[in-house]
Amino acid sequence: MNQGSHSARRGRWAGCCGWSVFAALCVTLTASSASAQSAAPRRTARGGDLAAGAAIDSLFDSAAEGSRSDAPVKKALNGQTSKASVRPQWTARLARNPKPDDGNPPYVLIDRYGGIQRYVEPTPTVNLDHYLGQTITVRRDTGHTLLASQLELPKVARPAGAIVGGSGGDVRLAAAEIPLEATPTLADAPEGADAAKPAVETLPDPIPDPQTMVDGDSGNWVDEHGNPVNMSEGADPLYLDEGAGPHLQGCSTCGSAVCQAQGGCGYGSRPVLYVRGEYLAWWTEGMDLPPLVVRGEVGNNGTPSDPTDDFFTNAFVVYGNQSVLDGVRSGGRVRVGYWLDDYGQTAIEGEYFGFGQIDEKFTDGGNGTFPIVGRPFIDATTGYDAVEDVSFPGIRGTVAVDIDSKFQSAGIGLRRNLCCASGNTCCGDPVTCGSQVGGCGAGVSNGPCATLFGKGTRHTDVYFGFRWAQLQEGLAVQENLEVIAPSVDVGTTFQVNDIFQTSNEFVGGELGFIWDWDYRRWSLELLSKLGIGSTRQRVNINGYTVRTEPGGAPETGSGGLLAQDSNIGQYERNELSVLPQLGMTLGYKLTDRLKLTGGYTFLYWSNVVRPGDQIDLEVNPGNLPFANPPDPDGLPARPQFTYRQNDFWAHGLSAGLEYQW
């Protein structure tokens, strides 16, 4: 089936006029009413879809069920409802809506007396201006408002821009069913009509009796110039379900080939395959750090001539006690989808996005006299603040802090259409093709965006699949020290290392909804997903110290400063997590297949472990490698490891291109 749709779509996308650009975007969205789909076997609804359709309609439609009515028709008929009822095929004449600001579609069907029988909403592939004033057959009557695809249009269209009817220009509609003295006049020609065309064209046929039953004509299909068109057996050039068939009358009002691309609801309304690539500029929640590096002054303890009793005083933090890695990150996202049927009902969709590794480095130190630099901790034996010297009388050195982070995620699942609405229409939902989920009416609730979103095609899809995400981060602190006079260890060097690494891996199911709207070149997509699953938390702590005496071989001891034998090790556990996403993407078609996109996404991930949270500042100095003197029993055994988990969020902007087949 997909093979046949390929060739049909290539025909629809063939040549058109130039581009048209307009800028209109409303933030407050109201809901879309569902549009009936073709009665093809593959569109047969299952009972479960009705409940899902009702649930999603309740989220997007604020109008109460039963609150919509045929009030505009009653008002036009001075309180009298049209005598036309829902019935099999019948005929009427096509005219423009004389009151375009009343919130109803721009076209109407009138009877012999000028009374409004139905409102008509155009579809992207049918230009109703070609058929003004002609007799139209209603082949599927659903009441109040009809789609152009529910009409059986004449096989020879009137040339675009022709003026039909009298010179008055306005449609004369009957307040009641009283015969008029003259035939009702129809709308003036559109602006810019060719002045060489005749000003008035005689109506080609008498106004039919609206109750007349008609049979479909047979014969060769012809285009607007009278040339025969070869159609395959069983094909209908205008009514391949919701008007999505080949467009034969050109593109006089759309301005580009976009009007012949996918659109509406039904057969061929969606592409077979779509690929979207985007550049990401996101911000993430920063990593919290304890105090890691301080500066201060030298206290001489009352004996200035004896530096051995000097102490570190008036310390202040120069690095740590802050959040890091909270700047913008660059990354990419790729999304690929394939529709499994020709009606845009079910698709398989995969996505991957991630960021390259981001890191941050800090270095400080001195020559033993300036500046005075150290690493802070809490003495577990006394409970007092303490400092390990980096640059202090008798020792010189540097301290470096290196932090890195990497995030990526992927998902795959099925995308199932719940409802589709094309134009300002009410013709039932695609789940049952008859019962309107959430009430019947104009198709879009009243509001500032009703006029805009009532013109396009709206889909609501449910998504269910699997989600994987990974967050890997690390924190390393390294000291390079040298003992200087006065000391018996002059020339001895030390390299002290503390390493904290964490890894979080989420695997779980994902459920979400995707709402999209298309109108000519513009499109808008709103996405909400919720992933629920398990996060495997891993923490790796390591530390070591290398001492090298003058002329001697290096010696390596287990433990640094904040990573000791008491907390060194690899730790792992699983925790229940949620991973929701919210997104919005605005699109503009550069060609009938290539779309420019830009959007915003927010992501949240609960219960993750991060390196800065795993640091214990309480240290027993007697347990340090090469301690002099060492603690005989090693108690208290600090630092120690305790799981400390936090949340992670990311949000940012995207820009990219989408290509459709």
Side-chain angles (χ1 to χ4, degrees):
M1 191 70 173
N2 280 328
Q3 184 177 359
S5 68
H6 272 292
S7 60
R9 290 167 195 170
R10 283 195 293 269
R12 287 201 311 274
W13 294 340
C16 232
C17 325
W19 295 359
S20 62
V21 179
F22 75 95
L25 176 62
C26 284
V27 178
T28 306
L29 300 179
T30 54
S32 59
S33 288
S35 170
Q37 303 292 337
S38 170
R42 67 177 67 194
R43 299 287 286 175
T44 301
R46 287 182 282 187
D49 282 344
L50 179 58
I56 192 59
D57 229 47
S58 66
L59 296 177
F60 288 96
D61 199 343
S62 59
E65 184 172 359
S67 63
R68 301 164 177 160
S69 66
D70 290 344
V73 175
K74 292 181 180 179
K75 183 177 179 181
L77 297 176
N78 196 23
Q80 301 297 322
T81 58
S82 169
K83 69 178 182 179
S85 59
V86 178
R87 54 188 180 272
Q89 291 185 342
W90 52 281
T91 58
R93 190 176 297 280
L94 182 67
R96 290 189 187 277
N97 184 355
K99 298 178 181 179
D101 298 329
D102 64 358
N104 287 301
Y107 299 93
V108 294
L109 292 177
I110 60 175
D111 58 20
R112 66 173 66 189
Y113 308 111
I116 297 177
Q117 300 296 302
R118 295 288 185 270
Y119 289 97
V120 180
E121 180 71 33
T123 57
T125 56
V126 179
N127 183 2
L128 291 178
D129 287 339
H130 292 289
Y131 305 96
L132 288 172
Q134 298 193 47
T135 300
I136 304 299
T137 299
V138 177
R139 65 185 180 96
R140 189 172 67 203
D141 188 1
T142 51
H144 186 264
T145 302
L146 307 177
L147 280 178
S149 58
Q150 295 173 251
L151 308 178
E152 188 162 324
L153 304 173
K155 296 178 183 178
V156 179
R158 190 182 309 281
I163 300 176
V164 183
S167 60
D170 293 331
V171 177
R172 298 176 60 188
L173 301 177
E177 296 188 357
I178 301 175
L180 302 177
E181 295 181 358
T183 300
T185 58
L186 301 177
D188 292 338
E191 294 183 8
D194 192 344
K197 296 179 185 267
V200 177
E201 177 179 334
T202 303
L203 297 179
D205 49 2
I207 299 177
D209 183 343
Q211 301 291 342
T212 301
M213 302 296 294
V214 298
D215 295 325
D217 296 332
S218 60
N220 295 326
W221 291 100
V222 295
D223 61 17
E224 60 181 300
H225 305 294
N227 300 318
V229 175
N230 294 323
M231 303 298 296
S232 59
E233 183 177 356
D236 185 329
L238 292 176
Y239 312 115
L240 288 178
D241 191 58
E242 307 299 350
H247 188 76
L248 303 181
Q249 278 71 45
C251 191
S252 60
T253 59
C254 177
S256 76
V258 174
C259 69
Q260 295 189 27
Q262 291 89 0
C265 304
Y267 181 88
S269 59
R270 280 176 153 175
V272 175
L273 181 69
Y274 56 94
V275 178
R276 181 187 300 175
E278 296 171 293
Y279 165 78
L280 305 180
W282 282 23
W283 292 261
T284 63
E285 183 180 22
M287 181 194 304
D288 293 330
L289 298 180
L292 296 178
V293 181
V294 296
R295 285 187 178 186
E297 300 174 354
V298 178
N300 59 31
N301 202 25
T303 55
S305 60
D306 183 8
T308 60
D309 63 353
D310 291 347
F311 59 92
F312 203 107
T313 186
N314 295 333
F316 60 94
V317 177
V318 293
Y319 191 75
N321 200 28
Q322 66 188 100
S323 180
V324 297
L325 300 181
D326 52 4
V328 64
R329 301 191 186 190
S330 295
R333 176 166 56 193
V334 177
R335 181 178 299 168
V336 180
Y338 178 78
W339 290 100
L340 302 176
D341 60 281
D342 297 319
Y343 292 84
Q345 280 287 87
T346 305
I348 182 170
E349 183 175 282
E351 176 192 63
Y352 171 84
F353 66 95
F355 308 97
Q357 180 170 301
I358 183 174
D359 53 29
E360 180 172 314
K361 295 183 179 181
F362 174 83
T363 304
D364 200 4
N367 57 11
T369 59
F370 181 84
I372 304 303
V373 179
R375 293 182 60 192
F377 63 93
I378 299 173
D379 190 332
T381 61
T382 64
Y384 295 144
D385 293 338
V387 174
E388 180 175 78
D389 298 333
V390 174
S391 173
F392 195 79
I395 192 169
R396 63 186 176 194
T398 60
V399 56
V401 182
D402 192 351
I403 304 173
D404 61 81
S405 177
K406 182 179 181 180
F407 174 78
Q408 56 184 338
S409 179
I412 188 170
L414 291 177
R415 181 172 173 176
R416 170 71 180 178
N417 179 247
L418 290 180
C419 57
C420 175
S422 180
N424 197 19
T425 181
C426 171
C427 55
D429 64 275
V431 178
T432 62
C433 277
S435 66
Q436 169 62 36
V437 178
C440 186
V444 178
S445 303
N446 293 331
C449 296
T451 302
L452 174 63
F453 290 107
K455 294 180 180 179
T457 299
R458 304 172 298 280
H459 296 90
T460 302
D461 302 330
V462 63
Y463 174 92
F464 45 93
F466 297 93
R467 171 64 54 179
W468 170 84
Q470 185 182 68
L471 175 64
Q472 293 179 312
E473 296 179 307
L475 185 155
V477 184
Q478 184 180 88
E479 300 175 55
N480 288 285
L481 313 175
E482 181 182 359
V483 179
I484 57 179
S487 173
V488 294
D489 296 322
V490 173
T492 300
T493 62
F494 294 86
Q495 186 185 86
V496 182
N497 296 274
D498 293 329
I499 302 170
F500 297 84
Q501 296 174 323
T502 61
S503 174
N504 301 272
E505 191 169 16
F506 174 90
V507 177
E510 189 171 45
L511 175 67
F513 295 95
I514 304 172
W515 183 90
D516 62 62
W517 167 80
D518 290 277
Y519 180 64
R520 293 186 178 175
R521 290 183 177 271
W522 292 96
S523 65
L524 178 66
E525 178 184 278
L526 301 179
L527 176 146
S528 63
K529 292 181 179 180
L530 175 63
I532 302 178
S534 174
T535 295
R536 176 169 293 182
Q537 302 173 347
R538 296 186 179 96
V539 180
N540 180 33
I541 301 176
N542 192 19
Y544 61 94
T545 300
V546 179
R547 182 178 70 172
T548 306
E549 296 182 346
E555 301 176 73
T556 301
S558 177
L561 173 64
L562 301 177
Q564 298 289 328
D565 289 337
S566 54
N567 65 338
I568 288 176
Q570 296 182 348
Y571 308 90
E572 181 177 320
R573 70 174 183 178
N574 294 315
E575 286 290 302
L576 179 67
S577 296
V578 295
L579 202 157
Q581 289 187 63
L582 297 174
M584 178 180 69
T585 302
L586 180 67
Y588 180 79
K589 284 189 174 180
L590 302 175
T591 70
D592 57 349
R593 295 191 181 186
L594 186 64
K595 180 192 298 184
L596 179 67
T597 65
Y600 171 84
T601 304
F602 175 84
L603 177 146
Y604 172 84
W605 187 354
S606 67
N607 297 337
V608 299
V609 290
R610 310 192 72 179
D613 297 324
Q614 314 311 314
I615 296 176
D616 181 11
L617 287 179
E618 288 198 39
V619 176
N620 185 344
N623 292 338
L624 295 176
F626 311 111
N628 187 17
D631 193 309
D633 57 9
L635 298 176
R638 299 294 293 268
Q640 67 181 13
F641 171 74
T642 302
Y643 271 109
R644 298 180 181 90
Q645 62 187 21
N646 212 324
D647 300 331
F648 176 81
W649 53 259
H651 71 108
L653 305 176
S654 61
L657 295 171
E658 179 177 313
Y659 193 78
Q660 301 177 347
W661 281 267

